[in-house]
Amino acid sequence: MSHMGMPGASSAGRSPASRWSRARYVAVVDAPEEVADGLPGGVVYLAPLPDGPLRVLSGASAVLYRALVDPHDDPAVRVARELGVAPEDVDADAVAEFADELVREGLLVRG
């Protein structure tokens, strides 16, 4: 997630067309108040059951995961709001790439 929130890395006005949800049989522990590596955004632990592996999302990645599974908000807008950046500074392509990565790992599904 290196581009998210970086000025000049914008795809303003665009957001991923798909919506996502947690994949079936994925356990989620969300600790939004936890600080990891001094970064805001908390931590989200994801583990496909029964065998894992555990995936730990912290900081902006945790914020983005929450935004992706929120059916009521545009992911880029929510990320911008929670990280305190302008919506046009959130790279919609990076959001879509991160979502695709989680889909490939079996942690999210489109729909």
Side-chain angles (χ1 to χ4, degrees):
M1 239 22 288
S2 60
H3 302 304
M4 195 169 53
M6 300 299 292
S10 172
S11 295
R14 291 180 41 214
S15 69
S18 298
R19 298 308 275 177
W20 297 269
S21 61
R22 177 183 53 86
R24 192 172 183 195
Y25 303 117
V26 172
V28 178
V29 175
D30 189 357
E33 69 287 343
E34 193 170 316
V35 176
D37 301 323
L39 300 172
V43 179
V44 175
Y45 302 90
L46 303 169
L49 299 176
D51 299 323
L54 176 66
R55 175 79 187 263
V56 180
L57 307 176
S58 61
S61 294
V63 170
L64 181 50
Y65 173 80
R66 287 184 208 103
L68 289 169
V69 298
D70 179 353
H72 305 291
D73 210 349
D74 176 273
V77 171
R78 179 168 174 178
V79 168
R81 183 176 60 245
E82 291 195 23
L83 294 180
V85 299
E88 58 271 9
D89 288 339
V90 177
D91 185 344
D93 291 333
V95 170
E97 288 171 21
F98 184 69
D100 289 343
E101 180 182 322
L102 295 178
V103 167
R104 285 190 302 275
E105 292 177 16
L107 300 171
L108 283 183
V109 293
R110 283 191 169 81

